[in-house]
Amino acid sequence: MTTTQVTLVQIDNYGPWTTTPEPRREMDLQTLQSRLFADVAQFLGHRDAYVFFTRFDNMIAVTNGVDGAAHATLQESIGNRYPVSVSLGTAVAERPVDALEAANRRLQTAGSAQDESRTEVLAGEYLSETDRSDLQIAHFDVVNATGKYTDRLNEFDTFINIERAFGSLMRHLREAHGALSFFVGGDNVVAVCPDLPESAFSSAVSHVEADVDIELQVGVGRGASAHEAGFAAKHALEDCRHDGTSVELFGAPAASD
């Protein structure tokens, strides 16, 4: 069995702030968002966690091994260095989407994301040392994306094709398994999954090819932290590239079919 600890990072009252006292320059907002993401990613990355930008004003992190004190330190650091503050909701579940739902509810219960009186909420549950178990991460990429798209099409049309593959995969894994998938640049997607057998990943690859006619390959890893599981997935993906296979598992065995 796998267990995933998910943290929702939400900028407090961000929408009204961007237009008060008047609308702010778009590139100033983009710069703030990218710097904030980089700082959150660096902080959590040093603790072997992963963070994904989603809509930038909301970020989703996989924080197995990161305790409440570390979350409080992250929140304090952002509040000291940025003109905005963040609220953090954390929850634990076997399926990543269930953990995210619970984390979301913790913040929603405290107030609206655009409520100026709801600031720096820190609410959650964290895996104890005795409760921790492995989590499972899958790293997908498009087979020969450079030859098929990057070196043949303009960048915008290449991006459309990659987004089509990501959208199809994201919906399939969410609906079929309660997994959370995130575009991480280039032609790469990282999915945080419950305990899935190899056949589930083969089915995901087949679904995307049938749905949008784009071929994927995927490496799957397990570990005690997002970094450990994700690094194992990277190694497995390299096996796909080397051997010409579509699915490879690395590290601890996945659930049996």
Side-chain angles (χ1 to χ4, degrees), residues 7-15 17 32-41 43-44 51-53 55-61 68 70-90 103 106-108 110-123 126:
T7 298
L8 174 64
V9 182
Q10 188 174 87
I11 302 179
D12 296 318
N13 199 33
Y14 186 58
W17 181 83
L32 181 146
Q33 291 173 170
S34 61
R35 286 177 176 166
L36 179 61
F37 170 70
D39 282 347
V40 173
F43 182 95
L44 292 175
V51 60
F52 305 97
F53 52 79
R55 296 182 294 134
F56 283 108
D57 58 345
N58 285 258
M59 293 171 265
I60 297 173
H71 281 75
T73 299
L74 170 62
Q75 190 177 59
E76 181 181 11
S77 176
I78 292 170
N80 287 338
R81 295 183 296 115
Y82 282 88
V84 295
S85 62
V86 298
S87 287
L88 305 176
T90 305
R106 293 180 189 277
L107 298 190
Q108 291 164 349
S112 170
Q114 294 193 0
D115 182 350
E116 62 181 10
S117 65
R118 194 216 75 178
T119 59
E120 294 189 304
V121 175
L122 182 62
Y126 310 93

Coordinates of all heavy atoms in Angstrom, one line a residue, residues 7-15 17 32-41 43-44 51-53 55-61 68 70-90 103 106-108 110-123 126:
T7 N 0.2 18.7 0.2 CA 0.0 20.1 0.8 C -0.4 21.0 -0.3 O 0.2 21.1 -1.4 CB 1.4 20.6 1.4 OG1 1.8 19.8 2.5 CG2 1.2 22.0 1.9
L8 N -1.5 21.7 -0.1 CA -2.0 22.8 -1.0 C -1.4 24.1 -0.5 O -1.6 24.5 0.7 CB -3.5 22.9 -1.0 CG -4.1 24.0 -1.8 CD1 -3.8 23.9 -3.2 CD2 -5.6 24.1 -1.5
V9 N -0.7 24.8 -1.4 CA -0.1 26.1 -1.1 C -1.0 27.1 -1.8 O -1.0 27.1 -3.1 CB 1.4 26.2 -1.6 CG1 2.0 27.5 -1.2 CG2 2.2 25.1 -0.9
Q10 N -1.6 28.0 -1.1 CA -2.6 28.9 -1.7 C -2.2 30.4 -1.3 O -2.2 30.7 -0.1 CB -4.0 28.6 -1.3 CG -5.1 29.4 -2.0 CD -6.5 28.9 -1.6 OE1 -7.0 29.3 -0.6 NE2 -7.0 27.9 -2.4
I11 N -2.0 31.2 -2.3 CA -1.7 32.6 -2.0 C -3.0 33.2 -1.4 O -4.1 33.1 -2.0 CB -1.3 33.4 -3.2 CG1 0.0 32.8 -3.8 CG2 -1.0 34.9 -2.8 CD1 0.5 33.5 -5.0
D12 N -2.9 34.0 -0.3 CA -4.0 34.6 0.3 C -4.5 35.8 -0.4 O -3.7 36.7 -0.7 CB -3.7 35.0 1.8 CG -3.4 33.8 2.6 OD1 -4.1 32.8 2.5 OD2 -2.4 33.9 3.4
N13 N -5.8 35.9 -0.7 CA -6.4 37.1 -1.2 C -5.7 37.7 -2.4 O -5.5 38.9 -2.6 CB -6.4 38.2 -0.1 CG -7.4 39.3 -0.4 OD1 -8.5 39.1 -1.0 ND2 -7.1 40.5 0.0
Y14 N -5.2 36.7 -3.3 CA -4.3 37.2 -4.4 C -5.0 37.9 -5.5 O -4.5 38.9 -6.0 CB -3.7 35.9 -5.0 CG -2.6 36.2 -6.0 CD1 -1.5 37.0 -5.7 CD2 -2.7 35.7 -7.3 CE1 -0.5 37.3 -6.7 CE2 -1.8 36.0 -8.3 CZ -0.7 36.8 -8.0 OH 0.3 37.0 -8.9
G15 N -6.3 37.5 -5.9 CA -7.0 38.2 -6.9 C -7.2 39.7 -6.6 O -6.8 40.5 -7.4
W17 N -5.6 41.5 -4.5 CA -4.3 42.2 -4.4 C -3.7 42.6 -5.8 O -3.1 43.7 -5.9 CB -3.3 41.2 -3.7 CG -1.9 41.9 -3.5 CD1 -1.5 42.7 -2.5 CD2 -0.8 41.7 -4.3 NE1 -0.2 43.1 -2.7 CE2 0.3 42.5 -3.8 CE3 -0.5 41.0 -5.5 CZ2 1.5 42.5 -4.4 CZ3 0.7 41.0 -6.1 CH2 1.7 41.8 -5.5
L32 N 6.7 37.7 -9.9 CA 6.4 37.3 -8.5 C 6.0 35.9 -8.4 O 6.5 35.1 -7.5 CB 5.3 38.2 -7.9 CG 4.9 38.0 -6.4 CD1 4.5 39.3 -5.8 CD2 3.8 37.0 -6.3
Q33 N 5.1 35.4 -9.3 CA 4.7 34.0 -9.2 C 5.8 33.1 -9.4 O 5.9 32.0 -8.7 CB 3.6 33.8 -10.3 CG 2.3 34.5 -9.9 CD 1.2 34.4 -11.1 OE1 0.1 34.8 -10.9 NE2 1.6 33.9 -12.2
S34 N 6.6 33.4 -10.4 CA 7.7 32.4 -10.7 C 8.8 32.4 -9.6 O 9.3 31.3 -9.3 CB 8.4 32.8 -12.1 OG 8.9 34.1 -12.0
R35 N 9.0 33.5 -9.0 CA 10.0 33.6 -7.9 C 9.4 32.8 -6.7 O 10.2 32.1 -6.0 CB 10.4 35.0 -7.6 CG 11.3 35.7 -8.6 CD 11.6 37.1 -8.2 NE 12.5 37.7 -9.2 CZ 12.8 39.0 -9.3 NH1 12.1 39.8 -8.5 NH2 13.7 39.4 -10.2
L36 N 8.2 33.0 -6.4 CA 7.5 32.4 -5.3 C 7.6 30.9 -5.5 O 7.9 30.1 -4.6 CB 6.1 32.8 -5.1 CG 5.3 32.2 -4.0 CD1 6.0 32.5 -2.6 CD2 3.9 32.7 -4.0
F37 N 7.2 30.4 -6.7 CA 7.3 29.0 -7.0 C 8.7 28.4 -6.8 O 8.9 27.4 -6.2 CB 6.8 28.7 -8.4 CG 7.1 27.2 -8.8 CD1 6.4 26.2 -8.2 CD2 8.0 26.9 -9.7 CE1 6.6 24.9 -8.6 CE2 8.3 25.6 -10.1 CZ 7.6 24.6 -9.5
A38 N 9.7 29.2 -7.3 CA 11.1 28.7 -7.2 C 11.5 28.6 -5.7 O 12.2 27.7 -5.3 CB 12.0 29.7 -7.9
D39 N 11.1 29.6 -4.9 CA 11.4 29.5 -3.5 C 10.7 28.4 -2.8 O 11.4 27.7 -1.9 CB 11.1 30.8 -2.8 CG 12.1 31.9 -3.1 OD1 13.2 31.6 -3.6 OD2 11.8 33.1 -2.8
V40 N 9.5 28.2 -3.1 CA 8.7 27.0 -2.4 C 9.4 25.7 -2.9 O 9.6 24.8 -2.1 CB 7.2 27.1 -2.8 CG1 6.5 25.8 -2.3 CG2 6.6 28.3 -2.2
A41 N 9.7 25.6 -4.2 CA 10.3 24.4 -4.7 C 11.6 24.1 -4.1 O 12.0 23.0 -3.8 CB 10.4 24.5 -6.3
F43 N 12.7 25.2 -1.1 CA 12.5 24.9 0.3 C 12.1 23.4 0.4 O 12.7 22.6 1.2 CB 11.5 25.8 0.9 CG 11.3 25.6 2.4 CD1 11.9 26.3 3.3 CD2 10.4 24.6 2.8 CE1 11.7 26.1 4.7 CE2 10.1 24.4 4.2 CZ 10.8 25.1 5.1
L44 N 11.1 23.0 -0.3 CA 10.6 21.6 -0.2 C 11.5 20.6 -0.8 O 11.6 19.5 -0.4 CB 9.2 21.6 -0.8 CG 8.1 22.3 0.0 CD1 6.8 22.3 -0.7 CD2 7.9 21.8 1.4
V51 N 7.0 19.9 -5.6 CA 6.0 20.9 -5.6 C 5.7 21.2 -7.1 O 6.6 21.2 -7.9 CB 6.3 22.2 -4.9 CG1 7.5 22.9 -5.4 CG2 5.1 23.2 -4.9
F52 N 4.4 21.4 -7.4 CA 4.0 21.6 -8.8 C 3.2 22.9 -8.9 O 2.3 23.1 -8.0 CB 3.1 20.4 -9.3 CG 3.8 19.1 -9.2 CD1 3.6 18.3 -8.1 CD2 4.8 18.7 -10.1 CE1 4.3 17.1 -8.0 CE2 5.4 17.5 -10.0 CZ 5.2 16.7 -8.9
F53 N 3.4 23.7 -9.9 CA 2.8 25.1 -9.9 C 1.4 25.2 -10.2 O 0.7 26.1 -9.8 CB 3.6 26.0 -10.9 CG 3.7 25.4 -12.3 CD1 2.6 25.5 -13.2 CD2 4.9 24.8 -12.7 CE1 2.7 25.0 -14.5 CE2 5.0 24.3 -14.0 CZ 3.9 24.4 -14.9
R55 N -1.8 26.5 -11.0 CA -2.2 27.8 -11.5 C -1.3 28.9 -10.9 O -1.7 30.1 -11.0 CB -3.6 28.0 -11.2 CG -4.6 27.1 -11.9 CD -6.0 27.4 -11.7 NE -6.4 27.1 -10.3 CZ -7.1 28.0 -9.5 NH1 -7.5 29.1 -10.0 NH2 -7.4 27.7 -8.3
F56 N -0.2 28.6 -10.3 CA 0.7 29.5 -9.7 C 0.2 30.2 -8.4 O 0.9 30.2 -7.4 CB 1.2 30.6 -10.6 CG 2.2 30.1 -11.6 CD1 1.9 29.9 -13.0 CD2 3.5 29.8 -11.2 CE1 2.9 29.4 -13.9 CE2 4.5 29.3 -12.1 CZ 4.2 29.1 -13.4
D57 N -1.1 30.7 -8.4 CA -1.6 31.2 -7.1 C -2.0 30.0 -6.2 O -2.2 30.2 -5.0 CB -2.8 32.1 -7.4 CG -3.9 31.5 -8.1 OD1 -3.7 30.4 -8.8 OD2 -5.0 32.1 -8.2
N58 N -2.1 28.8 -6.8 CA -2.3 27.6 -6.1 C -1.2 26.6 -6.5 O -1.0 26.4 -7.7 CB -3.6 27.0 -6.3 CG -4.7 27.7 -5.6 OD1 -5.2 27.2 -4.6 ND2 -5.2 28.8 -6.2
M59 N -0.5 26.0 -5.6 CA 0.5 25.0 -5.9 C 0.2 23.7 -5.1 O -0.3 23.8 -4.0 CB 1.9 25.5 -5.5 CG 2.4 26.7 -6.4 SD 3.9 27.5 -5.8 CE 3.2 28.8 -4.8
I60 N 0.5 22.6 -5.7 CA 0.3 21.3 -5.0 C 1.6 20.7 -4.7 O 2.5 20.5 -5.7 CB -0.6 20.4 -5.9 CG1 -2.0 21.1 -6.1 CG2 -0.7 19.0 -5.2 CD1 -2.9 20.3 -7.0
A61 N 1.9 20.3 -3.5 CA 3.1 19.7 -3.1 C 2.9 18.3 -2.6 O 1.9 18.0 -1.9 CB 3.8 20.5 -2.1
G68 N 5.0 19.3 10.4 CA 4.3 20.6 10.6 C 5.2 21.7 10.9 O 4.9 22.9 10.4
A70 N 8.2 22.3 9.7 CA 8.8 22.7 8.5 C 7.8 23.5 7.7 O 8.1 24.5 7.0 CB 9.3 21.5 7.7
H71 N 6.5 23.1 7.7 CA 5.5 23.8 7.0 C 5.4 25.2 7.6 O 5.2 26.2 6.8 CB 4.1 23.1 7.1 CG 4.0 22.0 6.1 ND1 4.6 20.8 6.2 CD2 3.3 21.9 4.9 CE1 4.3 20.0 5.2 NE2 3.5 20.6 4.4
A72 N 5.4 25.3 8.9 CA 5.3 26.6 9.5 C 6.5 27.5 9.2 O 6.3 28.7 9.0 CB 5.2 26.5 11.1
T73 N 7.7 26.9 9.1 CA 8.9 27.7 8.7 C 8.7 28.2 7.3 O 9.1 29.4 7.0 CB 10.1 26.8 8.8 OG1 10.3 26.4 10.2 CG2 11.4 27.6 8.4
L74 N 8.2 27.4 6.4 CA 8.0 27.8 5.0 C 7.1 29.0 4.9 O 7.3 30.0 4.3 CB 7.5 26.7 4.2 CG 7.0 27.0 2.7 CD1 8.1 27.6 1.9 CD2 6.3 25.8 2.1
Q75 N 6.0 28.9 5.7 CA 5.0 30.0 5.7 C 5.6 31.3 6.2 O 5.4 32.4 5.7 CB 3.8 29.5 6.5 CG 2.6 30.4 6.4 CD 1.4 29.8 7.3 OE1 1.6 29.6 8.5 NE2 0.3 29.5 6.6
E76 N 6.3 31.2 7.3 CA 6.9 32.4 7.9 C 7.9 33.0 7.0 O 8.0 34.2 6.8 CB 7.6 32.0 9.2 CG 8.3 33.1 9.9 CD 8.9 32.7 11.2 OE1 9.1 31.5 11.4 OE2 9.3 33.6 12.0
S77 N 8.7 32.2 6.3 CA 9.7 32.7 5.3 C 9.1 33.5 4.2 O 9.6 34.5 3.8 CB 10.6 31.5 4.8 OG 11.5 32.0 3.8
I78 N 8.0 32.9 3.6 CA 7.3 33.6 2.6 C 6.7 34.9 3.1 O 6.9 36.0 2.4 CB 6.2 32.7 2.0 CG1 6.9 31.6 1.2 CG2 5.3 33.5 1.0 CD1 5.9 30.5 0.8
G79 N 6.1 34.9 4.2 CA 5.5 36.1 4.8 C 6.5 37.2 5.1 O 6.2 38.4 5.0
N80 N 7.8 36.8 5.4 CA 8.8 37.8 5.6 C 9.4 38.4 4.4 O 10.0 39.5 4.4 CB 9.9 37.2 6.4 CG 9.5 36.9 7.9 OD1 8.6 37.5 8.4 ND2 10.2 36.0 8.5
R81 N 9.3 37.7 3.2 CA 10.0 38.2 2.0 C 9.1 38.6 0.9 O 9.6 39.1 -0.1 CB 11.0 37.0 1.6 CG 12.1 36.8 2.6 CD 13.0 35.7 2.2 NE 12.4 34.4 2.0 CZ 12.3 33.8 0.8 NH1 12.7 34.4 -0.3 NH2 11.7 32.6 0.7
Y82 N 7.8 38.4 1.0 CA 6.9 38.7 -0.2 C 5.8 39.6 0.3 O 5.5 39.7 1.5 CB 6.3 37.4 -0.7 CG 7.3 36.6 -1.6 CD1 8.1 35.6 -1.0 CD2 7.3 36.8 -3.0 CE1 9.0 34.9 -1.8 CE2 8.2 36.1 -3.8 CZ 9.0 35.1 -3.2 OH 9.9 34.4 -3.9
P83 N 5.2 40.3 -0.7 CA 4.1 41.2 -0.4 C 2.8 40.5 -0.2 O 1.8 41.1 0.1 CB 4.1 42.2 -1.6 CG 4.6 41.4 -2.7 CD 5.7 40.5 -2.1
V84 N 2.8 39.2 -0.4 CA 1.7 38.3 -0.2 C 2.0 37.2 0.8 O 3.2 36.9 1.0 CB 1.2 37.7 -1.5 CG1 0.7 38.7 -2.5 CG2 2.3 36.8 -2.1
S85 N 1.0 36.6 1.4 CA 1.2 35.5 2.3 C 0.6 34.3 1.7 O -0.2 34.4 0.7 CB 0.6 35.8 3.7 OG -0.8 36.0 3.6
V86 N 0.8 33.1 2.3 CA 0.2 31.9 1.8 C -0.4 31.1 3.0 O 0.0 31.2 4.1 CB 1.3 31.0 1.1 CG1 1.9 31.6 -0.1 CG2 2.4 30.5 2.1
S87 N -1.4 30.4 2.6 CA -2.0 29.4 3.5 C -1.7 28.0 3.1 O -1.5 27.7 1.9 CB -3.6 29.6 3.6 OG -3.9 30.7 4.3
L88 N -1.5 27.1 4.1 CA -1.1 25.7 3.8 C -2.1 24.7 4.4 O -2.3 24.8 5.6 CB 0.3 25.5 4.3 CG 1.4 26.4 3.9 CD1 2.7 26.1 4.7 CD2 1.7 26.4 2.4
G89 N -2.6 23.9 3.5 CA -3.5 22.8 4.0 C -2.8 21.5 3.6 O -2.4 21.3 2.5
T90 N -2.7 20.6 4.6 CA -2.1 19.3 4.4 C -3.0 18.1 4.8 O -3.6 18.2 5.8 CB -0.7 19.2 5.2 OG1 0.1 20.4 4.8 CG2 0.0 18.0 4.9
A103 N -7.0 18.4 2.0 CA -6.2 19.5 2.2 C -7.0 20.8 1.7 O -6.9 21.8 2.4 CB -4.9 19.4 1.4
R106 N -9.6 21.9 4.2 CA -9.1 22.6 5.4 C -9.0 24.1 5.2 O -9.2 24.9 6.1 CB -7.7 22.0 5.8 CG -7.8 20.5 6.3 CD -6.4 20.0 6.6 NE -6.4 18.6 6.8 CZ -6.8 18.0 8.0 NH1 -7.1 18.8 9.0 NH2 -6.8 16.7 8.2
L107 N -8.6 24.5 4.0 CA -8.5 25.9 3.7 C -9.9 26.5 3.4 O -10.2 27.6 3.8 CB -7.5 26.1 2.5 CG -6.1 25.7 2.7 CD1 -5.2 26.2 1.6 CD2 -5.5 26.2 4.0
Q108 N -10.7 25.8 2.7 CA -12.0 26.3 2.4 C -12.9 26.5 3.6 O -13.6 27.4 3.7 CB -12.7 25.3 1.4 CG -12.1 25.3 0.0 CD -12.5 24.1 -0.8 OE1 -13.1 23.1 -0.3 NE2 -12.1 24.1 -2.1
A110 N -11.7 27.4 6.4 CA -11.2 28.6 7.1 C -11.6 29.9 6.5 O -11.5 31.0 7.1 CB -9.7 28.5 7.2
G111 N -12.1 29.8 5.2 CA -12.6 31.0 4.5 C -12.2 31.0 3.1 O -11.5 30.1 2.6
S112 N -12.8 31.9 2.3 CA -12.5 32.0 0.9 C -11.1 32.4 0.6 O -10.4 33.1 1.3 CB -13.5 33.1 0.3 OG -13.1 33.3 -1.1
A113 N -10.6 31.9 -0.6 CA -9.3 32.3 -1.0 C -9.2 33.8 -1.3 O -8.0 34.4 -1.3 CB -8.9 31.6 -2.3
Q114 N -10.3 34.5 -1.5 CA -10.3 35.9 -1.7 C -10.9 36.7 -0.5 O -11.4 37.8 -0.6 CB -11.0 36.3 -2.9 CG -10.3 35.8 -4.2 CD -10.9 36.4 -5.5 OE1 -11.8 37.2 -5.5 NE2 -10.3 36.0 -6.6
D115 N -10.8 36.1 0.7 CA -11.2 36.7 1.9 C -10.0 37.4 2.6 O -9.1 36.7 3.0 CB -11.9 35.7 2.9 CG -12.4 36.3 4.2 OD1 -12.1 37.5 4.4 OD2 -13.0 35.5 4.9
E116 N -10.0 38.7 2.7 CA -8.8 39.4 3.2 C -8.5 39.1 4.7 O -7.4 39.3 5.1 CB -8.9 40.9 3.0 CG -10.1 41.5 3.7 CD -10.2 43.0 3.5 OE1 -9.4 43.5 2.6 OE2 -11.0 43.7 4.2
S117 N -9.5 38.6 5.4 CA -9.3 38.2 6.8 C -8.8 36.8 7.0 O -8.4 36.4 8.1 CB -10.6 38.4 7.6 OG -11.6 37.4 7.1
R118 N -8.8 36.0 5.9 CA -8.2 34.7 6.0 C -6.8 34.7 5.5 O -6.5 34.7 4.3 CB -9.0 33.7 5.1 CG -8.7 32.2 5.4 CD -8.8 31.3 4.2 NE -7.6 31.5 3.4 CZ -7.4 30.8 2.3 NH1 -8.3 30.0 1.9 NH2 -6.3 31.0 1.5
T119 N -5.8 34.7 6.4 CA -4.4 34.8 6.1 C -3.6 33.8 6.9 O -3.9 33.5 8.0 CB -3.9 36.2 6.3 OG1 -4.0 36.5 7.7 CG2 -4.6 37.3 5.5
E120 N -2.6 33.2 6.2 CA -1.7 32.3 6.8 C -2.3 31.2 7.6 O -1.9 30.9 8.7 CB -0.6 33.1 7.6 CG 0.2 34.0 6.7 CD 1.4 34.6 7.5 OE1 1.1 35.3 8.5 OE2 2.5 34.5 7.1
V121 N -3.3 30.6 7.0 CA -3.9 29.4 7.7 C -2.8 28.3 7.6 O -2.2 28.1 6.5 CB -5.2 28.9 7.0 CG1 -5.7 27.6 7.6 CG2 -6.2 30.0 7.1
L122 N -2.6 27.6 8.7 CA -1.7 26.4 8.7 C -2.5 25.3 9.3 O -2.7 25.2 10.6 CB -0.5 26.7 9.5 CG 0.6 25.6 9.6 CD1 1.1 25.3 8.2 CD2 1.7 26.0 10.6
A123 N -3.1 24.4 8.5 CA -3.9 23.4 9.0 C -3.6 22.0 8.3 O -3.4 22.0 7.1 CB -5.4 23.7 8.7
Y126 N 0.0 15.2 9.4 CA 1.3 14.9 8.8 C 1.6 13.5 9.2 O 1.3 13.0 10.3 CB 2.3 15.9 9.3 CG 2.0 17.3 9.2 CD1 1.3 18.0 10.3 CD2 2.2 18.0 8.0 CE1 0.9 19.3 10.1 CE2 1.8 19.3 7.9 CZ 1.2 20.0 9.0 OH 0.8 21.3 8.8

